[in-house]
Amino acid sequence: MDGYITIGTKLDSSNLNADIKKLENKLENEKIDLEIKLSDVENVKKEIREVSIEIKDLIKKRDELNKSILSKKSQYNAIGSRINRGEAITPEEYNRYGSLENQLTKLYSQQSNITKESEKYNQQYNKLIDKLTKAEAKYNKQKNCGIKIVQLPLD
């Protein structure tokens, strides 16, 4: 017996299309999440640059302040050693000695404030470095485990 059997089947691909659409939406959301994580990394880097500028400015102020302290302390010590040796000093030198003492007190106070401020910025900087490390790790983890889609021909 030679013959053919014909089986009539209708393929329903509506569920497949819905699943493909869900996957496409999921991939789009992952892409958006990845872009957000990259944006987080860039924002933290920007904050680090800003804090670094503040720290550099404080270092410059501290250095200028230290030079001023050394200069005034040298003058103050010179007059003070003359007084300790019992040498006579002029009223102008005596007034200068008192003025230098007041100036040094103010400079030491400024130095203390700069030290406190620099400690605050250093702590902020260290926290930002930690935040950057975590943000980069999240970004790289998500980037490295991304799904690659290969479209195969449906022949």
Side-chain angles (χ1 to χ4, degrees), residues 134-147:
K134 289 175 184 174
E136 284 178 333
K138 283 182 182 179
Y139 171 76
N140 288 331
K141 181 180 178 183
Q142 191 163 357
K143 182 177 112 180
N144 291 336
C145 70
I147 300 171

Side-chain angles (χ1 to χ4, degrees), residues 1-154:
M1 222 169 157
D2 288 332
Y4 294 95
I5 298 176
T6 305
I7 300 174
T9 356
K10 181 177 179 187
L11 292 175
D12 182 13
S13 64
S14 62
N15 287 341
L16 182 62
N17 288 337
D19 288 343
I20 290 172
K21 188 66 177 165
K22 283 181 188 177
L23 283 174
E24 286 174 345
N25 288 338
K26 198 172 191 177
L27 285 172
E28 186 61 30
N29 289 339
E30 289 295 318
K31 180 181 174 188
I32 290 169
D33 288 346
L34 191 59
E35 288 171 357
I36 289 171
K37 285 179 179 44
L38 180 60
S39 173
D40 291 346
V41 168
E42 294 303 319
N43 288 338
V44 174
K45 284 181 179 180
K46 180 182 175 192
E47 288 180 61
I48 288 173
R49 283 190 296 272
E50 291 169 358
V51 170
S52 294
I53 290 170
E54 292 294 329
I55 290 171
K56 287 177 185 176
D57 288 346
L58 281 174
I59 290 171
K60 184 178 177 183
K61 285 180 186 177
R62 183 201 62 202
D63 291 346
E64 290 170 1
L65 189 62
N66 286 342
K67 285 179 185 176
S68 182
I69 287 173
L70 286 175
S71 171
K72 300 220 185 288
K73 191 172 183 178
S74 173
Q75 294 171 38
Y76 178 79
N77 288 339
I79 296 172
S81 66
R82 287 182 57 208
I83 293 171
N84 288 337
R85 287 191 308 259
E87 293 180 21
I89 59 171
T90 65
E92 292 83 22
E93 288 175 314
Y94 183 77
N95 289 339
R96 176 81 177 137
Y97 185 74
S99 173
L100 287 168
E101 186 174 26
N102 290 334
Q103 290 174 20
L104 281 169
T105 301
K106 289 178 185 176
L107 290 172
Y108 287 132
S109 174
Q110 289 175 2
Q111 187 180 43
S112 175
N113 291 339
I114 286 177
T115 300
K116 289 176 188 173
E117 198 172 348
S118 68
E119 288 172 0
K120 180 185 83 170
Y121 279 115
N122 283 333
Q123 289 174 353
Q124 185 179 358
Y125 180 83
N126 290 335
K127 286 179 183 177
L128 286 171
I129 293 296
D130 289 342
K131 188 176 177 181
L132 176 64
T133 303
K134 289 175 184 174
E136 284 178 333
K138 283 182 182 179
Y139 171 76
N140 288 331
K141 181 180 178 183
Q142 191 163 357
K143 182 177 112 180
N144 291 336
C145 70
I147 300 171
K148 294 182 181 178
I149 296 180
V150 178
Q151 192 160 9
L152 300 173
L154 298 174

